[in-house]
Amino acid sequence: MQIFRQKELLQNHLNQTSEKGKSIGFVPTMGALHEGHFSLVRKSLSENDLTVVSIFVNPTQFDNPQDLEKYPNTLAQDLASLADLGCDVVFTPTSEDIYGNQAVAESFDFGGIEKQMEGAFRPGHFDGVGTIVKYLFAIVQPTKAYFGEKDFQQLQIVKKLVAIENLDIQVVGCPILREENGLAMSSRNQRLTAVERQAAGIIYQTLTRAKEKYKALSILQLQTWVQAEFEQHGLLALEYFTIAEEESLQKVTSKDQAQAPRAFIAAYFGDVRLIDNMALYN
Ligand code: AMP
């Protein structure tokens, strides 16, 4: 496995690969890797001649400086795991390498999907995501890029970015990997104690039960029920529970015309922010 810190050296290496007509799979990450990330890497390895993983904690997508500061870093372990998986190339740039002296995001118009949910509660977040993904795509020029449905809105944003920028890249969405109690795997879970991780299973349990109740209850009733579940549980603070259409990410207010509805949750355990989502239609 080759590790590149500088983009020029990575580009030289990848140019040789694409000149030979080989396909490049790309998995962008912020490190502190877990099985969720590894599932993306495995898929890329099975579908491409060469797989590139980037590890970069992108400052411009953090609306909360403390969240950025406390973001877990397990680089040595990440590299060892990626080597074990058979990953070909890892790119670990510095912030200066990407942004120069000042980390500033470009402004994007993603047609409104950037304004819902994560976009509403994390101002500027998707400008940051768009900026880094566009930059990394330009460097790596992958054939296929792999993103988890764990960050479902981000996956839709990246698809939109590829369309807006007219890029010849296939964006592949991958299913959510979960802990035994259903908690979606996340680097931020490392900031929870074992007991808290167990308690955080309520997010998945609530999504599962909301799905069961979807047919019988109105959207408003469902929302009220979810709020009551979190209040009763008491340990996690619900930020939002939203049902939105998968493609447009528009809020569903009446079930009649809903196209492929999906439920989305964001909740805080102390200062650790957790998100999850589940399709309601299958
Ligand atoms: P992150 O390092 O959190 O930026 O995540 C890097 C990629 O891994 C993103 O495309 C995420 O959606 C994906 N990912 C993170 N957690 C999971 C998970 N539990 N299951 C599947 N994909 C995930």
Side-chain angles (χ1 to χ4, degrees):
M1 185 175 82
Q2 283 181 284
I3 302 165
F4 294 94
R5 298 202 177 277
Q6 285 169 307
K7 58 174 178 287
E8 289 80 10
L9 298 178
L10 171 70
Q11 275 171 316
N12 285 344
H13 180 72
L14 294 180
N15 280 342
Q16 292 161 15
T17 305
S18 40
E19 270 163 27
K20 288 182 195 146
K22 290 186 174 176
S23 61
I24 298 174
F26 180 40
V27 183
T29 81
M30 298 204 298
L33 303 181
H34 50 70
E35 277 301 322
H37 296 114
F38 299 150
S39 68
L40 272 55
V41 177
R42 286 197 190 95
K43 192 160 172 60
S44 174
L45 285 167
S46 74
E47 294 182 353
N48 299 281
D49 296 316
L50 183 134
T51 289
V52 181
V53 174
S54 64
I55 298 178
F56 177 63
V57 183
N58 173 36
T60 62
Q61 72 187 68
F62 284 79
D63 56 309
N64 175 350
Q66 275 181 357
D67 188 26
L68 172 61
E69 213 172 282
K70 290 186 183 168
Y71 202 84
N73 177 331
T74 56
L75 184 60
Q77 203 182 310
D78 293 350
L79 295 175
S81 305
L82 290 172
D84 280 350
L85 282 175
C87 175
D88 303 285
V89 172
V90 182
F91 181 43
T92 58
T94 64
S95 186
E96 283 79 53
D97 200 17
I98 302 284
Y99 290 109
N101 289 333
Q102 250 201 327
V104 182
E106 186 181 335
S107 277
F108 290 92
D109 179 355
F110 293 115
I113 59 171
E114 75 278 21
K115 298 204 174 88
Q116 314 293 332
M117 300 184 286
E118 291 301 281
F121 285 93
R122 303 183 70 189
H125 172 64
F126 287 124
D127 280 339
V129 169
T131 303
I132 188 63
V133 172
K134 182 177 162 181
Y135 191 87
L136 291 172
F137 278 179
I139 296 172
V140 177
Q141 299 193 11
T143 322
K144 292 185 178 184
Y146 297 81
F147 290 83
E149 289 185 350
K150 153 87 177 13
D151 303 280
F152 195 87
Q153 196 175 1
Q154 169 176 277
L155 169 64
Q156 301 298 54
I157 292 273
V158 173
K159 286 182 181 166
K160 197 86 183 184
L161 176 79
V162 164
I164 292 169
E165 301 287 330
N166 209 5
L167 304 173
D168 187 16
I169 298 170
Q170 192 185 328
V171 178
V172 183
C174 305
I176 304 172
L177 262 78
R178 300 179 177 282
E179 314 263 354
E180 242 171 69
N181 67 345
L183 174 65
M185 289 183 177
S186 164
S187 305
R188 289 184 177 88
N189 294 352
Q190 292 189 14
R191 295 185 50 212
L192 302 175
T193 65
V195 174
E196 288 171 342
R197 266 192 196 211
Q198 206 48 42
I202 187 192
I203 299 175
Y204 175 72
Q205 288 146 25
T206 307
L207 284 170
T208 309
R209 290 183 61 201
K211 181 171 181 161
E212 288 161 12
K213 289 172 181 291
Y214 183 68
K215 276 208 180 97
L217 299 186
S218 72
I219 302 288
L220 195 62
Q221 284 170 326
L222 209 51
Q223 241 147 4
T224 310
W225 176 79
V226 169
Q227 265 156 11
E229 281 296 292
F230 274 80
E231 272 161 32
Q232 201 183 339
H233 184 263
L235 292 173
L236 275 85
L238 180 67
E239 185 169 57
Y240 65 76
F241 169 77
T242 301
I243 298 175
E245 291 187 349
E246 235 175 49
E247 279 300 309
S248 67
L249 293 180
Q250 288 302 315
K251 250 184 212 169
V252 172
T253 47
S254 140
K255 288 191 295 184
D256 300 342
Q257 304 109 16
Q259 296 284 323
R262 188 173 274 265
F264 296 82
I265 284 185
Y268 278 92
F269 210 130
D271 65 346
V272 181
R273 191 171 183 279
L274 303 169
I275 59 170
D276 201 350
N277 66 85
M278 188 179 283
L280 297 177
Y281 54 86
N282 54 9

